[in-house]
Amino acid sequence: MTGTENAAELVRHAPGAHEDGAALLPGGTTTSTQDFLRGVWEENPVLVQMLGLCPALAVTNTVANSLAMGLATFFVLTGSSLLVSTFKNLIPKEVRIASFILIIATFVTIADMTLAAVVPDIHKALGAFIALIVVNCMILGRQEAFASKRPIGRALLDAVGTGFGFIIAMVMMGSIRELLGNGSLLGYSVFGPSFEPWIIMILPPGGFLTLGIILLAFGWWRGRKAAEVPRVRRWPHGVASRRAA
Amino acid sequence: MSSDLFWILISAMLVNNFTLHLFLGLCPFMGVSAKIATALRMGAANIFVLTITSLVASFLNAYVLPHAPYLRLISFIVVIASLVQIVEMTIKKVSPTLFRELGIYLPLITTNCAILGLAIFQTNRGYGFLEGLAFALGAGLGLTLALVLMASIRERAELADIPALAKGMGLVLIIAGSLSLAFMGFAGLSTP
């Protein structure tokens, strides 16, 4: 179990949380590139940290829904990080979580109303899950662990990186589920009319199964990569000893 | 009327189970489902907070939000968070034993999407006071059922000979998928 004891634990152990020692300079020991790339892949919010699972499982039955949800979350995360980082010195420590939630809720309301006005169909399909972005632990986690302790530029980079990572995971889930469950991508038929769709993939169990199988595949891949490292390292040593002989 | 309420309860508990069908409250479902005893306690705490939330949401919907609909989300989250805080302090004062039993689960529930989800679904479906209560009770019982089922399976899985690769979240998600599949059988129950 990778630190998924409970939500508070998740927020506390979110990446960046361990670097908040007073000895470190503001901006930490990481470079801007690391701040950006970390969230995209190495510490992907959904696939590695298992945060924000509720939307990742609930609305990924088509690519269009996944993309809309990903973009809405990206907007809320970036906006909140920007605002939290700007006002970090004005927010009292005792009420910081409540203040973060208020800021997040404001951005979610904006996203909710914008989607309802611009793409009413998708807004209807996503339903209450837009409003539920407020309680996405990923967003609160980034505010608590990173944006409230870093300069604005770094907080923005981190938010954009994490947001991208979230979009990547959402679209990945959405593509697999729509392709297998409906035989199409973004509504365009891929396999032709003779394909028998796996209905289960676009139903709720499909969400659990898809993510479960993705995680198993990643675990297998990482295990293989870890096993490869010592073999590569042994090579030069062997060559060196042969040369010596 | 009473059969309507019963149907709302059954629907929220089994057919549209919050965790297995709507994916709400996944954090405790993944996090505190390793032992049956903890799962039961978490479920009880959830039923309690869900019921209170439903009362508050009914009140806000009836008296406050008609005047300012755009404040819906913000007022829900603020009121729920502060209410859980008050409940926590009251329990601590009145019954320290119960407080220790519930432990960290009570404050954690605030950030649980099932709670806010309940308030929003209740509003979207236009439930009144009594319907809201039935909905909350059903949702709470459903969450508890899912938690306990999951914990029972995981306790057995601890003893099983599982390949090292499959251990961890991947396995938990696949189990959840099978449970969700089983719960889809309840979709056969139709509105009377």
Side-chain angles (χ1 to χ4, degrees):
Chain A
M1 218 69 10
T2 51
T4 37
E5 280 307 304
N6 53 52
E9 286 287 292
L10 282 173
V11 171
R12 214 175 301 137
H13 292 310
H18 54 280
E19 329 159 344
D20 60 354
L24 293 177
L25 295 168
T29 49
T30 52
T31 65
S32 334
T33 328
Q34 278 172 328
D35 278 346
F36 175 70
L37 285 180
R38 184 180 49 207
V40 178
W41 192 247
E42 280 294 309
E43 292 175 2
N44 187 296
V46 178
L47 302 173
V48 181
Q49 297 187 64
M50 313 288 298
L51 296 176
L53 283 187
C54 165
L57 293 170
V59 297
T60 47
N61 49 1
T62 67
V63 180
N65 285 354
S66 319
L67 201 59
M69 189 66 187
L71 288 174
T73 310
F74 181 88
F75 165 74
V76 174
L77 178 59
T78 318
S80 322
S81 277
L82 192 63
L83 216 58
V84 165
S85 179
T86 311
F87 293 115
K88 59 180 177 292
N89 295 327
L90 292 175
I91 299 174
K93 219 176 171 64
E94 296 76 27
V95 293
R96 63 181 195 287
I97 300 284
S99 322
F100 298 161
I101 288 188
L102 266 186
I103 291 174
I104 296 171
T106 313
F107 278 103
V108 172
T109 308
I110 298 174
D112 193 20
M113 290 176 167
T114 313
L115 279 178
V118 181
V119 278
D121 289 347
I122 289 186
H123 181 262
K124 209 170 173 192
L126 296 181
F129 288 100
I130 296 278
L132 286 173
I133 297 177
V134 179
V135 280
N136 189 331
C137 349
M138 173 189 95
I139 297 180
L140 189 62
R142 292 330 292 160
Q143 309 312 323
E144 166 75 359
F146 204 90
S148 58
K149 295 180 181 115
R150 297 288 195 278
I152 300 172
R154 286 294 178 86
L156 204 60
L157 271 178
D158 175 71
V160 170
T162 312
F164 259 131
F166 186 74
I167 294 181
I168 290 174
M170 291 292 281
V171 172
M172 195 169 169
M173 291 274 298
S175 317
I176 297 177
R177 289 181 70 185
E178 191 181 338
L179 198 61
L180 294 178
N182 202 22
S184 63
L185 272 180
L186 277 169
Y188 296 103
S189 177
V190 174
F191 293 141
S194 61
F195 176 71
E196 186 71 45
W198 308 6
I199 302 286
I200 189 73
M201 295 306 277
I202 46 174
L203 294 174
F208 284 118
L209 296 177
T210 310
L211 189 59
I213 289 167
I214 291 180
L215 288 182
L216 289 186
F218 272 25
W220 173 76
W221 182 61
R222 260 193 227 113
R224 266 184 50 144
K225 254 179 76 173
E228 264 170 23
V229 174
R231 202 178 68 209
V232 172
R233 274 192 192 149
R234 238 177 281 129
W235 256 107
H237 184 71
V239 171
S241 58
R242 224 179 300 146
R243 282 210 181 139
Chain B
M1 184 65 194
S2 62
S3 72
D4 273 0
L5 290 183
F6 181 69
W7 173 247
I8 289 177
L9 191 145
I10 293 294
S11 162
M13 182 178 161
L14 299 175
V15 185
N16 294 314
N17 186 289
F18 259 40
T19 312
L20 297 171
H21 195 263
L22 296 171
F23 305 106
L24 299 172
L26 280 179
C27 283
F29 185 65
M30 302 289 173
V32 270
S33 62
K35 289 211 175 66
I36 296 182
T38 19
L40 264 176
R41 227 172 284 161
M42 184 70 189
N46 259 311
I47 294 179
F48 184 58
V49 178
L50 279 168
T51 316
I52 296 175
T53 306
S54 162
L55 293 178
V56 175
S58 301
F59 173 79
L60 283 176
N61 280 333
Y63 299 106
V64 183
L65 295 179
H67 307 293
Y70 50 89
L71 280 183
R72 196 180 76 170
L73 198 53
I74 297 180
S75 54
F76 275 164
I77 190 100
V78 169
V79 172
I80 292 171
S82 36
L83 208 77
V84 173
Q85 197 92 55
I86 295 172
V87 168
E88 194 191 338
M89 288 193 292
T90 317
I91 294 184
K92 195 176 180 181
K93 189 86 182 169
V94 176
S95 165
T97 336
L98 182 65
F99 181 75
R100 231 173 300 128
E101 286 274 297
L102 290 175
I104 58 159
Y105 300 129
L106 204 55
L108 261 185
I109 291 173
T110 324
T111 53
N112 181 340
C113 35
I115 310 297
L116 185 65
L118 178 101
I120 291 170
F121 276 116
Q122 187 182 335
T123 315
N124 286 355
R125 294 176 190 180
Y127 285 159
F129 176 72
L130 276 178
E131 286 124 327
L133 268 188
F135 186 52
L137 203 58
L141 288 173
L143 271 180
T144 315
L145 182 64
L147 266 170
V148 171
L149 283 176
M150 189 68 186
S152 327
I153 297 179
R154 278 177 75 174
E155 278 191 0
R156 293 294 289 270
E158 284 285 298
L159 303 172
D161 184 20
I162 299 162
L165 170 68
K167 275 181 184 151
M169 279 333 264
L171 177 75
V172 176
L173 278 163
I174 304 262
I175 296 176
S178 331
L179 268 180
S180 171
L181 202 57
F183 265 68
M184 278 186 62
F186 288 117
L189 296 167
S190 61
T191 326

